[in-house]
Amino acid sequence: MGRTIVIANQKGGVGKTTTSINLSAALAEQGQKVLVIDMDPQGNTTSGLGVEKDEVENTVYELLLGECTIQECMQKEIFENLSILPANINLAGAEIELISAENKEYLLKNALDEVKDQYDFIIIDCPPSLNLLTINSMCAGDTVLVPIQCEYYALEGLSQLMHTIDLVKERLNPNLEMEGVVFTMYDARTNLSLQVVESVKNNLNQKVYKSIIPRNVRLAEAPSYGMPITKYDKRSTGAESYRLLAEEVIHRGEEEWQ
Ligand SMILES: Nc1ncnc2c1ncn2[C@@H]1O[C@H](COP(=O)(O)OP(=O)(O)O)[C@@H](O)[C@H]1O
Ligand SMILES: [Mg+2]
């Protein structure tokens, strides 16, 4: 059975989108069938994987509003083993438009039920807020993976995020579990990065991935070429670190889900 992983942290700029793109690509490279879902109106996962976000006919927005089917929304095999449900700025209107929709927390889950069996991994990139789009993602997910940027304010907001995950588990999706925490933008030249890792480990009682994503300029450049790092610069430290993370994610899955 496949696993749906929600990449969430209500802070912006912590590496959610970079992780969604490159973890998906690294899983796909290892032969896993992957569907990545862009739940952020900024559509950076969509454009970062080379899909023209303003030219696609159907996006997650139309899907949530029931204006298209999941098949009509899906861009299939944009890279080998990797398909995407794209998003663009239209999605920003969904929150208001869905305010009185029935089962509004489960719109994504219900849409995914039809295709879930066809994928080994479904990766959902969340917007930087704890809104209805994030709640829909958490209701559709099996686990939540939290990227944490190695900077001074790393712990800020994390307790609120954990509380939200607990609430969703209690009231909306009892199956939801923590996948773990992944450190991003680690800078080996500073003590600060190391201190952040240590303090998060000590203060947050969560599974932490051994793979740490370094600060790597190639990771920041890749989206403007519409490519994941595994294609843009396959030998970069960024690519290698996301491959290692993918291996851990696959392995953890085997341990816990069989
Ligand atoms: N490991 C990294 N090394 C260098 N730049 C990174 C790395 N991870 C993310 N970035 C850059 O940091 C910015 C924020 O990352 P992003 O993944 O968009 O965060 P989020 O989705 O959480 O807002 C982007 O410009 C991205 O290219
Ligand atoms: Mg993002």
Side-chain angles (χ1 to χ4, degrees), residues 69-71 109-118:
T69 65
I70 192 160
Q71 299 298 343
K109 178 189 164 46
N110 292 340
L112 281 181
D113 276 346
E114 190 186 315
V115 300
K116 202 172 175 211
D117 293 350
Q118 297 162 29

Side-chain angles (χ1 to χ4, degrees), residues 16-17 40 42 44 125-126 128:
K16 289 182 291 297
T17 297
D40 187 346
Q42 290 179 57
N44 291 342
D125 186 22
C126 287

Side-chain angles (χ1 to χ4, degrees), residues 11-18 185 213-217 219-220:
K11 264 195 184 189
V14 298
K16 289 182 291 297
T17 297
T18 305
M185 294 179 244
I213 310 302
R215 189 172 277 285
N216 174 219
V217 69
L219 283 169

Side-chain angles (χ1 to χ4, degrees), residues 207-222:
K207 292 178 269 188
V208 172
Y209 281 100
K210 287 192 214 82
S211 321
I212 291 180
I213 310 302
R215 189 172 277 285
N216 174 219
V217 69
R218 306 300 268 169
L219 283 169
E221 289 167 3

Side-chain angles (χ1 to χ4, degrees), residues 35 58 63 68-76 83-86 111-116 118-119:
L35 174 64
N58 292 303
L63 181 67
C68 72
T69 65
I70 192 160
Q71 299 298 343
E72 287 166 341
C73 172
M74 196 179 299
Q75 302 279 320
K76 290 207 173 104
S83 298
I84 183 171
L85 301 181
L112 281 181
D113 276 346
E114 190 186 315
V115 300
K116 202 172 175 211
Q118 297 162 29
Y119 297 93

